[in-house]
Amino acid sequence: QVQLVESGGGLVQPGGSLRLSCVASGRAPSLLTMGWFRQAPGKERELVAASYWSPTATYYADSVKGRFTISSDIAKSMVSLQMNSLKPEDTAVYYCAAKFRGTEDYKFWGRGTQVTVSS
């Protein structure tokens, strides 16, 4: 089992920034690929960014490229999502997730943290 604990989130004005962090425990981080998902009301959950513990092994959804940055610290088993130039459409519950390397499905999930972008 992998446990994921998120922190960060909150209310921010359009154009502002927020930082989310997630700490993983239970398994060696090198076994995992980490991701950030979000789900807005009435919409499907979507993968926003993913990382395999390297700044060059990352993925971003088109909707956040150039605005969001995923970073990781394998020594701390921590993955962060820096969100800049936030827009109202970024409003959602953000979830940290993990999957074992080489597998398709993210099987481990944090509880989620609310991000609201509003003036």
Side-chain angles (χ1 to χ4, degrees), residues 2 13 18 21 23 37 52 62 72-73 77-78 83 97 99 110:
V2 176
Q13 292 187 343
L18 281 174
S21 292
V23 176
F37 287 74
Y52 178 64
D62 287 343
S72 59
D73 185 339
S77 298
M78 178 181 287
M83 305 183 292
K99 63 176 180 175

Side-chain angles (χ1 to χ4, degrees), residues 68-83:
F68 290 12
T69 302
I70 189 169
S71 60
S72 59
D73 185 339
I74 196 169
K76 296 181 179 179
S77 298
M78 178 181 287
V79 175
S80 298
L81 186 68
Q82 178 67 39
M83 305 183 292

Side-chain angles (χ1 to χ4, degrees), residues 88-103:
E89 51 263 44
D90 294 317
T91 296
V93 178
Y94 283 70
Y95 297 90
C96 179
K99 63 176 180 175
F100 289 115
R101 289 186 65 195
T103 62

